[in-house]
DNA sequence: GCTCCTCACGAAACAAACTTGCAACTCGCG
DNA sequence: CGCGAGTTGCAAGTTTGTTTCGTGAGGAGC
């Protein structure tokens, strides 16, 4: 796993570039350069620098789950019985290794984990619960929320309006 | 807004391509072609077709929130008082228009909305709650979960192992 | 059984984008 | 005031994406 490099300073050019790339990373560097008033090579060097520093974690295509036969999105709050480091790490590892688990967060509050799961059918989800939750003796309880509407989905990070044009 | 076109059929080539693009959409088409045993133009045509059909919703860079000064990720379960269509739509619109709200789902169960929020500081989050929740007379209650660890984050859709090599 | 039509593929030519080397510039510091 | 680190823009070279064209594999109809 590519370890994330030391912190780097980001100026308003970088933030403006990131804002564009978060929308569409297929934007030509020349166009980005025009938008932020920089030459294409300068844009390219900044992008590479941010990728190496881990500011840009990945470049990926966003697929509509419903269009590929996975129309069900589910939230699950998981509460565990014993919160030792070993058991928590084991749970993290298992959730991470499960492809249907799109997102997994270890949280404070009334639950310990929050999962976002995509599934093709209710039967698939039920089978998954049997494996992940009923099959795990450390899971005390879990609560399920079915998504009726994916109102807003994304991983866009708000960067303020530090964009610069001059 | 680009309306999503009629359904299209996806074969195992398409799924294999999607699997690659979900990992890294900067992969050259030639390399994708080698991986799935297709020529580069064929790959390119399939990608364009899936983009037009809405199977590929976006191509974007994933930014590490912590590296850009937004180290706090928060889950919020929101419960509303009145669930009329107008009020629900209004809530959806407001959440969608808020940049700090990374994700918003309208769900069944003990909550009505689940939000994923990124914030720079606790004070920022508190200000946001005042605006979004206390400032909205239709919000009955909301529960907050702070993420201690973003164990797994992504929007990758499991496509099974329909990938083909021959 | 034959033909026509449609569709997707691959090879090659073409256009566009990315990448690198180099000289000049700015800024901070001794 | 001069030096060094860092960044920029320009231009050339390379890789990649895109288009065009011809070919071959199914299906429908005669």
């Amino acid at each position: 796993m590519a370890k994330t490099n030391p912190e780097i300073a980001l100026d308003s050019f970088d933030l403006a570039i990131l804002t564009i790339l978060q929308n569409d990373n297929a934007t030509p560097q020349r166009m980005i350069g025009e938008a932020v008033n920089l030459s294409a090579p300068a844009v390219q060097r900044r992008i590479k620098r941010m990728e190496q520093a881990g500011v840009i974690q990945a470049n990926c295509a966003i697929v509509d789950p419903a269009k590929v036969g996975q129309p069900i999105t589910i939230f699950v709050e998981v509460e565990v019985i014993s919160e030792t480091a070993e058991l928590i790490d084991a749970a993290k590892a298992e959730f991470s290794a499960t492809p249907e688990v799109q997102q997994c967060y270890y949280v404070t509050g009334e639950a310990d984990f929050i999962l976002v799961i995509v599934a093709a059918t209710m039967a698939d989800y039920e089978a998954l619960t049997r494996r992940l939750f009923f099959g795990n003796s450390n899971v005390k309880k879990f609560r399920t929320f079915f998504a009726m509407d994916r109102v807003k989905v994304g991983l866009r990070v708000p960067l303020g309006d530090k964009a610069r044009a001059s």
Side-chain angles (χ1 to χ4, degrees), chain A:
Chain A
M1 185 171 299
K3 195 60 208 85
T4 138
N5 279 8
E7 300 295 321
I8 65 172
L10 302 177
D11 60 14
S12 43
F13 285 114
D14 294 312
L15 295 181
I17 293 171
L18 284 180
T19 301
I20 294 172
L21 291 181
Q22 282 194 107
N23 270 331
D24 180 9
N25 70 0
T27 309
Q29 296 169 352
R30 171 182 52 79
M31 254 181 238
I32 301 174
E34 291 172 7
V36 303
N37 282 88
L38 235 51
S39 69
V43 171
Q44 130 93 356
R45 284 185 282 253
R46 285 168 178 269
I47 292 174
K48 180 189 282 184
R49 190 171 61 104
M50 291 191 284
E51 283 175 348
Q52 288 175 345
V55 177
I56 297 175
Q57 292 185 314
N59 291 289
C60 58
I62 306 300
V63 174
D64 185 346
K67 293 275 174 64
V68 292
Q70 311 270 349
I72 306 177
T73 299
I74 305 148
F75 278 78
V76 187
E77 290 178 14
V78 180
E79 210 171 322
V80 299
I81 295 171
S82 171
E83 214 165 342
T84 68
E86 292 78 17
L87 288 172
I88 292 298
D89 286 344
K92 287 182 183 180
E94 183 173 17
F95 293 146
S96 293
T98 304
E100 294 90 340
V101 175
Q102 212 180 44
Q103 304 172 48
C104 169
Y105 300 82
Y106 181 47
V107 300
T108 69
E110 301 173 34
D112 297 304
F113 288 97
I114 293 183
L115 308 180
V116 181
I117 291 176
V118 294
T121 64
M122 286 291 180
D124 288 338
Y125 175 59
E126 199 223 344
L128 196 64
T129 63
R130 288 187 181 277
R131 184 158 64 80
L132 284 184
F133 309 136
F134 295 116
N136 184 334
S137 58
N138 194 35
V139 170
K140 186 195 298 180
K141 58 181 279 195
F142 66 97
R143 291 202 303 168
T144 297
F145 302 81
F146 290 100
M148 293 182 286
D149 185 5
R150 304 179 0 133
V151 179
K152 182 178 188 178
V153 181
L155 295 175
R156 195 169 309 173
V157 179
L159 298 176
D161 288 338
K162 308 286 175 45
R164 99 159 28 176
S166 62

